[in-house]
Amino acid sequence: WSPDSNVLFGPVPELTGYFCCNGIIPGFSQSGGMGLLAAQWMIEGETKYDMFAWDMARYGTWAGKAFTKARVGDQYANRFKIHFPNEERAAGRPVRTRPAYSMQRDMGAVMGLNYGWEHPLWFADEPEVEDTDGFTRQNWWEPVGAECRMLRDTGGIIDISNFAKYVCKGPGAEEWLNAVFANRMPRLVGRSCLTPLISKRGGIAGDFTVTRLGDDEFWIIGSGMAERYHARFFKQVPLPTGTTFESHTEAMCGFNVAGPQSRAMLQRMTNASLANEDFPFMRSARIELAGVEVLALRVSFTGDLGWELHCATEHQAQLYTALIEAGRDIGIGPVGSRALMSLRIEKGYGSWSREYSPEYWPQEVGLDRLIKMDKEFLNKDAVAEVLTQTARESLVLLHLDETDTEASGADATGGEPVFSGNNGVGRVTSGAYGYTVGMSLALAYVKGVGPGDRVDVMVLGRPHKATILDAPPFDADGKRLRG
């Protein structure tokens, strides 16, 4: 049984040609649709609609009997309860923790669940604080804002250990990665690239950062919650002889240190030069930081100046302690994932399972520029057909009028309809308040409208005036990111 929605759906990874679709409680209302989608998957290789929320791939071997029993009981007990945005359920937790977990809890971290892992959502002023739930702004709204402003003003330290991490090495590593991903792999050691993973129907199955660590070694980062899902795609391309592809998600942890003072803080902790001319954007290096060996990548999902720092799991607590100590005297401190979501929306960055999914075409998401049609890769024929067609809709960034959001006490969170006059023109995929730009923001897919147009976003069922922006409100020209 699936612990949350009481359904298992999808191919069983350990078997070939075996599909599972059962456990649906309201069978009369959902069984017909699920049967259709299961048939599509078996016959055509993929469902028409993104079914990840029902997919057994969202659980791994960590979801054992005790966790499953607790979650199923919680599901039955709360099935007809109202569920709120950002709601976190405690049943069966914690099930997976990392070395810094206790330290983060002592610092006031309010934890969330991601693919079984406990991770900081936000930091309260004292330990043992819990989320409040509701459709309006809750007890975390102001603390998350303080974290965002701290990072943009000076800097912040974000635990990104949840990201899926892989290493591909061997004489055929570059060949194999080029056969899997749509972009061309970096040819020089220390260079990184962004690349889509193309689905069976030509949509976006995933987005990854790939870094060349050596002549025959690559570091790949993707969505942590989709690791088992993405394994289906990786297994479709045979590995060349002598080449390996392994998950390092459990073996490695990571932190993103970002903000205008991130370079100054990190430079005090290492002998390696972090100057822009020596360590520019989208570059990487193995360095020693406060006595810990780390793989440093000059990237940041915040859209700000920053580095991702990946270390062995056994050194996570040591590295975290050193980072917190180094940042204390210059006003840099811990930042949770809710602040990260706000910061990435200020920059207009999409996220897998929200803005990126197999339902969306590359040209609708803005990832078509990363597809190299002069090489062979997984599902190339499907995306070639898709790219000949006009985009059905476009991903845009909306600015919701503050008077409307302040009056309702709520921001868009995802799923809200978008109207132009009386016509439905789209829906929100992600929303958050942009604390450092003073805007209530939302990413949305729309059609028939564009930059500068005024629309209505139905937040809590009421129209909220919004304007489609022509550029992200934070660092639109990338000067901070690349500076």
Side-chain angles (χ1 to χ4, degrees), residues 13 49 88 119 156 216 244-245 300 339 349 357 361 363:
Y49 300 111
E88 293 280 343
H119 69 110
D216 295 325
T244 60
F245 178 76
S300 176
Y349 285 165
S357 100
W361 294 347
Q363 65 269 41

Side-chain angles (χ1 to χ4, degrees), residues 292-310:
V292 178
E293 294 291 331
V294 303
L295 172 61
L297 276 64
R298 176 77 191 278
V299 294
S300 176
F301 199 36
T302 66
D304 216 314
L305 169 69
W307 278 261
E308 287 185 4
L309 308 167
H310 300 275

Side-chain angles (χ1 to χ4, degrees), residues 1-8 53-56 58-59 68 71-72 75:
W1 293 90
S2 160
D4 286 325
S5 66
N6 270 5
V7 63
L8 289 179
W54 296 64
D55 196 328
M56 67 173 68
R58 69 196 192 281
Y59 297 102
T68 301
R71 300 297 277 193
V72 169
Q75 165 64 19

Side-chain angles (χ1 to χ4, degrees), residues 182 371-377 380-381 383-385 387:
I371 297 175
K372 308 303 181 186
M373 297 301 293
D374 59 347
K375 71 181 184 77
E376 297 302 317
F377 56 87
K380 178 182 176 181
D381 290 346
V383 81
E385 172 61 25
L387 291 175

Side-chain angles (χ1 to χ4, degrees), residues 170-188:
E174 181 177 3
E175 171 193 349
W176 185 77
L177 291 169
N178 271 319
V180 171
F181 294 119
N183 200 354
R184 185 172 289 104
M185 295 300 101
R187 291 171 175 165
L188 299 177

Side-chain angles (χ1 to χ4, degrees), residues 123-413:
F123 287 83
D125 292 335
E126 57 187 26
E128 306 303 327
V129 174
E130 296 182 357
D131 271 337
T132 60
D133 296 322
F135 291 109
T136 56
R137 296 167 179 170
Q138 297 298 303
N139 66 332
W140 52 265
W141 196 83
E142 289 290 352
V144 167
E147 292 173 19
C148 291
R149 288 185 284 267
M150 175 181 65
L151 188 144
R152 292 285 193 233
D153 291 343
T154 52
I157 304 161
I158 308 171
D159 191 337
I160 56 169
S161 302
N162 289 344
F163 291 2
K165 300 169 286 289
Y166 314 90
V167 172
C168 184
K169 61 193 306 184
E174 181 177 3
E175 171 193 349
W176 185 77
L177 291 169
N178 271 319
V180 171
F181 294 119
N183 200 354
R184 185 172 289 104
M185 295 300 101
R187 291 171 175 165
L188 299 177
V189 174
R191 300 290 181 96
S192 301
C193 76
L194 303 176
T195 180
L197 176 69
I198 301 301
S199 71
K200 184 72 173 179
R201 295 174 182 266
I204 303 297
D207 63 305
F208 294 80
T209 302
V210 182
T211 299
R212 189 166 201 142
L213 301 181
D215 291 340
D216 295 325
E217 184 176 1
F218 293 81
W219 175 257
I220 303 102
I221 298 176
S223 170
M225 65 187 292
E227 185 164 354
R228 191 176 176 192
Y229 167 79
H230 286 145
R232 294 174 184 155
F233 294 85
F234 299 146
K235 290 176 181 178
Q236 292 178 41
V237 182
L239 280 165
T241 302
T243 300
T244 60
F245 178 76
E246 298 176 343
S247 170
H248 283 231
T249 304
E250 294 191 24
M252 300 286 286
C253 291
F255 297 102
N256 180 202
V257 180
Q261 296 300 315
S262 58
R263 175 183 282 117
M265 174 190 136
L266 293 173
Q267 190 62 81
R268 297 187 304 177
M269 304 173 67
T270 181
N271 291 326
S273 175
L274 303 182
N276 203 36
E277 58 270 22
D278 298 321
F279 209 136
F281 181 61
M282 293 297 282
R283 298 293 196 275
S284 70
R286 288 186 171 101
I287 66 174
E288 185 175 293
L289 201 71
V292 178
E293 294 291 331
V294 303
L295 172 61
L297 276 64
R298 176 77 191 278
V299 294
S300 176
F301 199 36
T302 66
D304 216 314
L305 169 69
W307 278 261
E308 287 185 4
L309 308 167
H310 300 275
C311 70
T313 295
E314 57 265 30
H315 299 145
Q316 186 203 24
Q318 178 185 346
L319 179 59
Y320 195 51
T321 299
L323 292 172
I324 294 295
E325 289 297 323
R328 182 170 286 120
D329 65 335
I330 55 175
I332 293 178
V335 170
S337 63
R338 288 209 179 132
L340 179 59
M341 290 299 101
S342 169
L343 296 166
R344 64 101 177 169
I345 291 176
E346 290 182 346
K347 184 66 173 176
Y349 285 165
S351 174
W352 193 84
S353 85
R354 298 176 180 92
E355 289 72 44
Y356 303 152
S357 100
E359 287 191 34
Y360 303 132
W361 294 347
Q363 65 269 41
E364 297 169 344
V365 184
L367 296 181
D368 49 325
R369 61 187 174 83
L370 300 178
I371 297 175
K372 308 303 181 186
M373 297 301 293
D374 59 347
K375 71 181 184 77
E376 297 302 317
F377 56 87
L378 188 64
N379 298 320
K380 178 182 176 181
D381 290 346
V383 81
E385 172 61 25
V386 159
L387 291 175
T388 65
Q389 302 183 48
T390 302
R392 301 161 298 182
E393 51 193 1
S394 299
L395 181 63
V396 298
L397 186 59
L398 302 172
H399 170 207
L400 281 67
D401 285 2
E402 272 67 52
T403 52
D404 286 347
T405 53
E406 288 174 2
S408 67
D411 303 287
T413 58

